[in-house]
Amino acid sequence: MRSMNCVPGNCSRTMAGTADVTCCLISTSSTGPPATASHSRVVEPSCAIKRRSTWRSRVACAGVAAASAKRSRRGGLEELEDMSEIVVSVRRIDLPHGPRETMAALRGDAPGVLLESALPMEGQGQWSYVAGAARATLYTDAGGTVLRRTGQADMGFADPFEALEAMASAKQVRVVADEPVPEGLGFIGGWVGVLGYDAARHLHRLPETAQDEPSLPQMWWMAVDQVLAYHQPSRQWWECTSSGPGDGWPWTTTDRLAAWADTLARARRPAPSRRPWMAGARQLRMSREGFESGVEHIREAIANGEVLQVNLTRREDAAFQGDAWSLYEDLVAAHPVPFTAFIETPDFSIASCSPERFLKLQGRTVQARPIKGTVARGRTPDEDAANRDWLAASEKNRAENLMIVDLMRNDIGRVAELGSVRVPDLFALEPYASVWQMVSTVQATLREGLGPADLLRACWPPGSMTGAPKLAAMQAIEALEPLRRGFYAGSIGYIDCRGNMDLSVVIRTAVVARGKVMVQVGGGIVADSDPASEWNETVAKGERLVRVLDAGFSGSASPAAPR
């Protein structure tokens, strides 16, 4: 590891943990029309070339609408700020399965989410979480931002960040346990879901030129009041149940004891057999020529002083039918990483294999672990070691990483205590199935009185997926990428009822919706980027995803989490 002498603050050489949790929420499967067999072809909107040619004029005239100040809340939110005490009961229980088999046993008709640490690392992945049925959903789509509860009138919000501030702020919580609980229990109840990249449009004024296809929510969360927490080292389950006011989270009603008991009964059932899935031929939504032309445009903009770095990405689509959960299992088997995630609703499914933590908030301690810098794994041990050494010494990749570290320091610094932002690790190298990644760690202390929504407003969207300066880079992305990113480049994770938060970056991800599966890959473009090399880097990053899609349903169960 290298210390960062140029960063203010005290530095240490201690590597902070990456993936602390696995969180599993109950879900249903989604299906689509039959896949079709054809050769890969390019499907690119005809307006893409015109947009590129006029990019700089749009960037010059685009304004900024920063949302650094807290927004005033609308009438009717008082019930969401009820500070009545919430009691969380924690007790040891016995279940026959590990977390993944438990998720499979609990899947049913309700939407759900799984957050999983599929790659054990030193000091990481101590806990896994399986949650019971949703008490509510919170989402943003073309119609606005809405809180929805069964049998209740919908409640609207001005934007997703106002909603998160109202719903996911820290509550007055008392935890009751009959015996000592192992250290590190992070998620005892609250909200879990996804915040898409395009939620940034509520914080920044951006051009609207990229096509929104397919149109999916910008945000989707579900609230849970029952969590089955699995401690990996002891292989012991703990049940966490939350009781509190009826007019605010967790909306306690008289039927909760029976509902919690039903979850435990279903969790003890045998895991069901796997169901097949099939993907058709992949279609490139941006050609290689278009991608490499985008790299050249960014290099020219850098030379003109308009940007320092831009994260340029491209998407591939294929027809899809079958069980998205089985696709997730096959992806995890091929690409185990610290942050894997599965979200399933009637309208979409997300199967994510992300190596990158966006933000973790524990108490008032903030951690970000941006990834910038990639090289393919070698085919032999010697070649692999040579590739690693090349990445470690690469001035280009170090420059990419350092720019994003500075961006994250500045973003976090908006809401951090003065002088608390530091970089304990810089340019660390981590091995994954198909690539070596360069990872740095930024830490800080959140200012007193602020919470998860304030931190998200200051840092959204993830800087590793935009470039720097952030607004100019986002304007360039809108001009050069033919399609909106949707969930890709956003975050998946949880916001705990105590105000804790842990979010991964949505990369190495397959989104299933409208009868097709979509994957997206990209990389940071800097002054000395080579267009052909940048294309090859995207191929290396997506290699495991693409291989799974092309191979189809494996037929055999993927390795489960240890029991």
Side-chain angles (χ1 to χ4, degrees):
M1 310 297 175
R2 296 167 176 80
S3 62
M4 184 177 179
N5 297 326
C6 61
V7 174
N10 296 325
C11 295
S12 72
R13 300 175 68 88
T14 303
M15 173 66 81
T18 300
D20 299 320
V21 301
T22 304
C23 175
C24 172
L25 286 86
I26 316 161
S27 190
T28 62
S29 63
S30 65
T31 60
T36 58
S38 64
H39 297 292
S40 292
R41 57 189 178 90
V42 176
V43 181
E44 185 172 6
S46 59
C47 58
I49 295 175
K50 181 179 179 181
R51 284 206 313 275
R52 294 190 186 106
S53 65
T54 59
W55 164 32
R56 279 190 277 293
S57 63
R58 283 195 305 275
V59 171
C61 67
V64 181
S68 57
K70 290 190 176 182
R71 294 166 170 78
S72 60
R73 296 177 186 169
R74 303 159 82 184
L77 298 189
E78 290 80 3
E79 69 165 0
L80 305 180
E81 297 171 336
D82 190 319
M83 291 306 294
S84 300
E85 184 178 61
I86 294 170
V87 178
V88 179
S89 175
V90 181
R91 67 186 183 102
R92 190 198 301 255
I93 60 172
D94 290 321
L95 292 178
H97 309 302
R100 197 176 304 172
E101 299 97 325
T102 300
M103 168 68 176
L106 286 173
R107 290 178 72 210
D109 296 331
V113 181
L114 164 69
L115 309 179
E116 183 181 10
S117 236
L119 180 65
M121 288 184 170
E122 184 177 355
Q124 306 176 106
Q126 300 299 298
W127 287 89
S128 301
Y129 304 104
V130 180
R135 301 293 288 143
T137 56
L138 183 67
Y139 63 90
T140 299
D141 61 13
T145 299
V146 174
L147 171 71
R148 176 157 294 172
R149 294 171 54 211
T150 302
Q152 302 292 323
D154 289 349
M155 178 173 289
F157 300 85
D159 63 59
F161 298 94
E162 180 198 69
L164 288 174
E165 182 179 347
M167 296 304 305
S169 57
K171 306 296 189 293
Q172 183 177 333
V173 177
R174 178 164 55 95
V175 179
V176 178
D178 294 336
E179 56 184 303
V181 180
E183 185 178 359
L185 178 61
F187 185 46
I188 59 175
W191 295 86
V192 62
V194 59
L195 185 63
Y197 173 89
D198 287 298
R201 297 176 188 277
H202 298 275
L203 301 176
H204 307 279
R205 186 171 299 145
L206 298 172
E208 296 192 5
T209 52
Q211 294 183 14
D212 185 16
E213 186 275 308
S215 180
L216 296 171
Q218 293 179 356
M219 176 180 81
W220 186 93
W221 298 85
M222 59 184 281
V224 296
D225 66 352
Q226 180 185 28
V227 177
L228 311 181
Y230 182 75
H231 186 236
Q232 301 282 8
S234 66
R235 299 187 176 185
Q236 178 62 56
W237 285 99
W238 300 78
E239 182 190 28
C240 309
T241 52
S242 303
S243 300
D247 59 351
W249 189 90
W251 299 288
T252 298
T253 51
T254 56
D255 64 343
R256 299 315 297 154
L257 288 176
W260 297 338
D262 179 67
T263 298
L264 292 180
R266 290 186 295 115
R268 294 186 171 102
R269 299 183 305 190
S273 300
R274 301 186 72 219
R275 293 180 290 179
W277 62 271
M278 182 171 61
R282 289 176 287 113
Q283 299 176 338
L284 304 180
R285 302 305 302 271
M286 180 189 288
S287 67
R288 177 166 185 165
E289 179 183 11
F291 183 87
E292 293 185 0
S293 174
V295 174
E296 292 288 8
H297 277 278
I298 293 168
R299 291 182 62 192
E300 183 180 349
I302 294 171
N304 292 336
E306 299 171 14
V307 290
L308 298 173
Q309 178 184 167
V310 175
N311 181 268
L312 183 64
T313 73
R314 61 182 183 84
R315 199 176 92 186
E316 299 185 18
D317 299 351
F320 184 88
Q321 66 173 354
D323 189 1
W325 166 255
S326 294
L327 168 63
Y328 167 77
E329 290 186 301
D330 289 338
L331 288 174
V332 173
H335 193 64
V337 290
F339 297 96
T340 57
F342 181 73
I343 296 181
E344 191 169 37
T345 78
D347 298 319
F348 64 85
S349 298
I350 304 174
S352 181
C353 294
S354 174
E356 182 175 358
R357 165 175 282 152
F358 172 42
L359 287 170
K360 180 178 181 181
L361 177 62
Q362 190 75 26
R364 293 172 57 207
T365 300
V366 179
Q367 183 195 78
R369 299 190 78 247
I371 289 179
K372 271 294 168 215
T374 305
V375 68
R377 297 296 301 268
R379 291 167 292 183
T380 67
D382 288 345
E383 183 182 45
D384 196 46
N387 288 358
R388 179 193 185 280
D389 293 344
W390 175 88
L391 180 60
S394 169
E395 291 300 327
K396 170 189 174 295
N397 284 282
R398 289 159 64 94
E400 284 185 36
N401 193 283
L402 186 58
M403 288 180 199
I404 302 307
V405 167
D406 281 342
L407 177 60
M408 290 303 302
R409 288 173 59 240
N410 291 335
D411 284 351
I412 293 172
R414 297 173 185 170
V415 290
E417 283 193 350
L418 186 64
S420 70
V421 181
R422 63 191 187 96
V423 181
D425 280 295
L426 184 69
F427 306 150
L429 299 182
E430 293 182 349
Y432 296 99
S434 60
V435 294
W436 285 95
Q437 301 268 209
M438 185 176 285
V439 188
S440 295
T441 303
V442 181
Q443 292 184 345
T445 302
L446 191 67
R447 288 204 305 269
E448 188 73 43
L450 300 184
D454 302 291
L455 183 59
L456 283 171
R457 278 198 189 104
C459 298
W460 196 259
S464 63
M465 301 307 297
T466 61
K470 180 176 277 188
L471 179 60
M474 293 170 66
Q475 292 167 339
I477 289 166
E478 183 77 9
L480 295 173
E481 295 184 8
L483 301 166
R484 288 193 183 182
R485 291 180 169 183
F487 295 129
Y488 178 77
S491 288
I492 293 174
Y494 70 79
I495 304 178
D496 182 73
C497 60
R498 297 166 293 183
N500 299 328
M501 177 173 71
D502 203 0
L503 301 173
S504 66
V505 179
V506 181
I507 54 177
R508 320 290 199 273
T509 294
V511 177
V512 176
R514 311 291 194 271
K516 62 183 177 182
V517 58
M518 297 156 278
V519 298
Q520 198 150 339
V521 288
I525 310 304
V526 293
D528 55 352
S529 289
D530 172 67
S533 296
E534 294 296 342
W535 173 269
N536 291 336
E537 181 178 311
T538 69
V539 173
K541 289 177 176 177
E543 184 267 339
R544 293 299 174 106
L545 289 173
V546 167
R547 182 190 300 180
V548 169
L549 291 179
D550 290 349
F553 179 58
S554 70
S556 59
S558 59
R563 176 67 180 94

